[in-house]
Amino acid sequence: MPTVDRGLHRRGVEVIWTGRFLRARHTFGFYKLTGLSDCVATDIDSYVEIGGALGRDDARRNAQRQSIRERSRFEAFAVSTTLSQGTEKMLALSRIRAASMLPRDKRRQGWTGIAMGDHTEVVNQALALVNAGDSESAITLLDSVLKTRPDHFEALFFKGEALRRAGAFSDAESMFLEAARLVPTNAEVLFRLGLARFAEGRMADAEKAFIAATACNAGHQAAWLYGGLAALQQDHLADAERLLRTASELDPSSVSALANLVICLQRQERAGDALPIIEQIHALDPANEDAARSLFQAYVDAGALDKALTLATAMAARLPRSAWWCGATQGWIHRTLGRLDAAADAYRRAFALEPNSAEHATNLGLTLRQSGNRTEAKTLLERAATLNPGSLEAHFGLANLLLDDGRLDDAEQLVETFEARVHFPRGASRSVVIPILDYSPGSSYNIRTLLDDLHDFNGEVICIFNSEEVFEALRQHPRIDKFSFNKHNVGVSRAWNMGINQAEGETIHILNADLHISVPMLYRLEQWLHSLPDALCVGVSAHWIDPVTLKEIRAINSGTFTSPIETDLVSGQLFSLHAKRLHDAGITFDPRLSPYFGEEPDLALKARQNGLKIYAVPETDFAHSWGISRRDRPIFFFGRQVNRLRGTIRNEILLHRKWNRFNLANKKA
């Protein structure tokens, strides 16, 4: 229901016409009490005359406004009353008429210059129905007017408003457009036209209507505001800022204009410009907690922690039962600034106000751990974990306490148990890495057939493309989960390292692109890998080398043995790595062994250096044709052709030096 208060009159001047309407009587009473009679009309003519004069004469209007300010003697003047919905619209109609500022000789014909006849009362009745929520009956009455007077401005305008309120936005637009045709400079008509378009989501058309309204009446704050909202919806940020700034200047107390201006500035990443406006919003209503929270966050984002603390302290005084203001915010600031004792005191206040809050218990526990009070910290973190079994911070805080005591296994077990219980997002449990040079000419298998083989593989597939042609053809392949593209061939060692670095699985299967393979066999390789003692790697063939000459002295091919064999190395066409042991030992493939040859002996050396083992296991469910290492075709590496013999000799020299150092160290030991 409408409220007439002192603030309303101090912002402007309201002309009233006394009569049977209750709100007019209340306003008349206010004017009478304050000794003001200049804005009181006795009939329609004097109403229009006073309104027109005030509308045309800025000096007179400002003088009248100042007079109201000076004569408002009451500390608080408010009259709240239940009014008929039609009363407010009757006053709106009167304001529209007054705003037309027609010459006196046309006023008796109505403010549009069109003879009113006997339709005024019907229009007024329709207005009462619109405000009572009975748009259908109002439209029926207005149609009776428009049937004989299709150019009746008020009937067109208020029928449009009735249709808009009923949700018939397209029909409402038609009425407003017709009314605007009759009086093209009426700002209110254009504003309501904009509202109808705004409700339909036609932001560009709505913005045009609102801007047209402001051109007719530069003081129409709502038109500026909604124009800014429409521009903001379209991400026309410069236009939105201009419109919303004008709206906030016309009414500095409009929270809607100010808040949307803040949004506009934040979208432009102008947090510094937004901050004083957020402060202005808070100043309008210092007790408003939402506004205070927004300002607090703005201070934090700006790094103005002292201001944030001052605000939090002031809000705590206003809201002494608010754990957020009394403790949580202040505790966070003190802890951020390294004031652990003050932070602990603040978090204690918050926890005392909300003793069942896992968040407060966690914050206090973490702060106490930092300050060295580990016993109480453990109690609080355990309490937090009980209150909220899904609290990541509480459980990881407890894990950190275990780490402080050197209890690594217990810390790891706690984390794993927590992650399993809350279904913490995990990566793939197993990975396949495939370096790809080409489509494997000369082989009946290639990367396409291998990806088909892996269709049902329960894990991730990582492809390392060393060919632009193959990359462009397969980059969108549904079986490829991750990939890296190299413009040139980077060599086997680098490609394996790139794939391993992307792998999230506990088992990493390294496959040649020209393999034909069975998915169940990959699962069995994984079981072998995690069941054999100290296994770093498992493969499908066994090879032994002389540690001095590095020459192969014995080999057992797949299909010729029935139980796992500990060996020096396995073939690089197909092998599986234990990811945890690999990374714990810091093992990578030496990129100097490029473009190929020597990767397997290098892995054998590193396994021995770290006390890990390599096994050949009895699996045969695969097929492979020997690749580049067994064919006399050109080898290109980083865009240049490589001499096969030169590459082999250089890699052998590098491997011998590594093994010689290892053998020498073993002799000394």
Side-chain angles (χ1 to χ4, degrees):
M1 292 298 103
T3 300
V4 181
D5 61 17
R6 172 178 166 186
L8 172 69
H9 293 279
R10 285 191 170 185
R11 286 195 295 271
V13 179
E14 184 173 12
V15 181
I16 62 133
W17 174 18
T18 57
R20 62 187 178 88
F21 295 107
L22 188 59
R23 175 172 175 170
R25 294 178 184 178
H26 282 309
T27 308
F28 173 70
F30 174 81
Y31 283 157
K32 185 175 180 180
L33 283 170
T34 55
L36 295 166
S37 60
D38 295 343
C39 294
V40 178
T42 57
D43 56 24
I44 183 60
D45 286 342
S46 61
Y47 185 95
V48 173
E49 183 174 5
I50 296 170
L54 290 171
R56 290 189 298 268
D57 191 339
D58 290 344
R60 178 175 174 179
R61 184 172 63 254
N62 291 334
Q64 191 65 50
R65 185 182 295 115
Q66 183 62 29
S67 181
I68 291 174
R69 290 195 185 100
E70 292 173 354
R71 300 188 192 187
S72 294
R73 302 187 300 271
F74 305 98
E75 283 301 315
F77 179 87
V79 180
S80 298
T81 182
T82 302
L83 301 174
S84 67
Q85 291 285 342
T87 302
E88 189 170 6
K89 278 302 171 186
M90 182 58 196
L91 292 173
L93 174 60
S94 300
R95 294 191 189 98
I96 293 173
R97 289 174 174 166
S100 66
M101 299 178 288
L102 289 174
R104 187 177 183 84
D105 60 353
K106 292 187 178 181
R107 287 190 199 127
R108 289 191 180 277
Q109 294 180 320
W111 63 278
T112 63
I114 302 170
M116 295 285 289
D118 295 329
H119 296 305
T120 303
E121 189 59 34
V122 176
V123 172
N124 291 341
Q125 291 173 13
L127 290 179
L129 292 169
V130 170
N131 277 308
D134 189 355
S135 294
E136 185 177 352
S137 299
I139 292 169
T140 301
L141 277 177
L142 293 167
D143 281 341
S144 69
V145 175
L146 293 171
K147 185 175 182 180
T148 57
R149 288 278 309 285
D151 58 351
H152 194 292
F153 176 84
E154 286 99 335
L156 289 167
F157 176 82
F158 289 114
K159 182 180 178 182
E161 182 62 13
L163 289 166
R164 186 183 73 83
R165 294 193 183 195
F169 302 118
S170 180
D171 293 338
E173 180 180 13
S174 298
M175 292 296 104
F176 291 134
L177 285 171
E178 185 62 22
R181 183 185 64 80
L182 294 173
V183 186
T185 59
N186 188 282
E188 194 63 28
V189 172
L190 296 170
F191 173 66
R192 302 287 168 168
L193 172 63
L195 290 180
R197 292 172 172 175
F198 192 93
E200 285 189 307
R202 295 163 50 199
M203 296 302 160
D205 293 335
E207 183 181 357
K208 291 177 183 177
F210 292 134
I211 290 175
T214 64
C216 295
N217 179 5
H220 199 306
Q221 192 268 351
W224 290 101
L225 170 60
Y226 274 89
L229 294 177
L232 193 59
Q233 288 287 330
Q234 301 170 80
D235 275 335
H236 297 166
L237 300 182
D239 291 339
E241 180 180 353
R242 175 179 58 83
L243 293 163
L244 291 168
R245 280 196 185 279
T246 304
S248 61
E249 288 166 1
L250 287 170
D251 183 2
S253 65
S254 172
V255 173
S256 180
L258 293 168
N260 282 285
L261 179 55
V262 168
I263 293 171
C264 180
L265 293 170
Q266 288 175 338
R267 286 189 187 177
Q268 298 176 69
E269 297 184 356
R270 292 164 55 191
D273 293 335
L275 179 55
I277 300 172
I278 300 173
E279 290 177 324
Q280 185 178 347
I281 295 172
H282 175 62
L284 288 170
D285 186 2
N288 186 301
E289 189 172 3
D290 289 336
R293 283 178 181 250
S294 297
L295 181 57
F296 179 84
Q297 188 60 53
Y299 282 145
V300 169
D301 292 341
L305 297 187
D306 288 341
K307 288 186 176 181
L309 182 59
T310 300
L311 174 62
T313 304
M315 290 303 297
R318 290 180 179 275
L319 303 169
R321 300 299 301 169
S322 169
W324 200 79
W325 289 114
C326 293
T329 54
Q330 298 179 50
W332 180 85
I333 293 171
H334 287 306
R335 188 178 171 198
T336 301
L337 295 174
R339 306 166 185 163
L340 297 182
D341 290 342
D345 290 341
Y347 284 136
R348 285 188 195 281
R349 291 195 297 271
F351 192 43
L353 288 167
E354 295 179 356
N356 291 322
S357 168
E359 181 180 359
H360 299 328
T362 299
N363 287 331
L364 179 55
L366 294 176
T367 303
L368 292 174
R369 173 181 171 264
Q370 278 185 273
S371 62
N373 188 347
R374 299 177 65 258
T375 301
E376 189 179 0
K378 181 174 182 293
T379 300
L380 285 160
L381 291 171
E382 288 174 343
R383 169 71 172 158
T386 301
L387 289 168
N388 180 9
S391 171
L392 179 69
E393 292 79 6
H395 285 85
F396 285 11
L398 288 170
N400 277 319
L401 286 172
L402 293 171
L403 287 175
D404 293 342
D405 292 336
R407 298 165 58 186
L408 305 186
D409 292 341
D410 291 339
E412 184 176 30
Q413 181 62 41
L414 187 151
V415 171
E416 289 179 354
T417 301
F418 170 73
E419 290 181 351
R421 185 173 67 251
V422 300
H423 305 292
F424 202 83
R426 292 175 176 267
S429 60
R430 55 183 66 88
S431 307
V432 161
V433 173
I434 312 171
I436 305 164
L437 182 60
D438 50 30
Y439 284 115
S440 306
S443 172
S444 55
Y445 308 115
N446 57 46
I447 182 57
R448 290 187 183 275
T449 61
L450 180 55
L451 291 173
D452 290 340
D453 292 342
L454 294 170
H455 180 272
D456 296 323
F457 177 66
N458 183 16
E460 62 179 0
V461 174
I462 305 166
C463 289
I464 310 301
F465 291 98
N466 291 308
S467 161
E468 186 171 1
E469 175 191 357
V470 183
F471 171 66
E472 292 298 339
L474 296 179
R475 61 186 302 176
Q476 300 296 335
H477 195 289
R479 179 58 274 198
I480 299 176
D481 300 293
K482 301 173 184 174
F483 64 75
S484 290
F485 165 60
N486 302 306
K487 187 173 182 179
H488 299 292
N489 176 26
V490 300
V492 174
S493 294
R494 285 184 174 88
W496 284 352
N497 286 336
M498 292 173 71
I500 290 169
N501 288 340
Q502 294 184 61
E504 296 181 84
E506 297 174 0
T507 301
I508 304 172
H509 302 288
I510 308 293
L511 309 182
N512 269 21
D514 56 353
L515 274 171
H516 172 55
I517 200 159
S518 158
V519 168
M521 190 193 77
L522 292 179
Y523 297 157
R524 292 194 298 272
L525 287 174
E526 180 178 341
Q527 292 172 354
W528 287 117
L529 182 66
H530 290 274
S531 61
L532 292 169
D534 300 319
L536 170 66
C537 170
V538 298
V540 293
S541 60
H543 304 265
W544 289 266
I545 58 175
D546 185 306
V548 177
T549 65
L550 300 186
K551 301 297 183 182
E552 185 176 290
I553 57 176
R554 183 186 174 201
I556 301 178
N557 293 326
S558 60
T560 62
F561 58 100
T562 58
S563 59
I565 302 171
E566 185 179 341
T567 183
D568 289 338
L569 53 89
V570 293
S571 173
Q573 63 183 343
L574 163 61
F575 62 96
S576 304
L577 294 167
H578 192 296
K580 184 177 185 301
R581 290 169 183 159
L582 184 80
H583 295 311
D584 284 348
I587 295 174
T588 61
F589 291 94
D590 193 334
R592 294 174 295 175
L593 298 170
S594 296
Y596 80 103
F597 181 76
E599 302 88 1
E600 297 95 332
D602 187 46
L603 180 63
L605 172 62
K606 290 172 180 175
R608 290 192 184 189
Q609 288 174 328
N610 289 278
L612 298 172
K613 297 178 181 179
I614 296 175
Y615 294 90
V617 294
E619 297 292 346
T620 60
D621 199 0
F622 71 96
H624 175 248
S625 298
W626 287 105
I628 191 170
S629 58
R630 293 291 179 91
R631 289 201 300 271
D632 295 326
R633 58 174 172 150
I635 302 171
F636 289 90
F637 173 62
F638 284 126
R640 62 184 182 272
Q641 187 169 351
V642 176
N643 181 281
R644 185 186 304 270
L645 180 59
R646 178 176 180 273
T648 302
I649 293 298
R650 288 180 64 85
N651 288 359
E652 283 189 356
I653 293 171
L654 177 61
L655 286 170
H656 273 284
R657 284 177 174 166
K658 286 187 173 189
W659 276 87
N660 287 344
R661 286 193 295 270
F662 174 70
N663 292 331
L664 181 61
N666 280 347
K667 287 180 180 179
K668 289 181 178 180

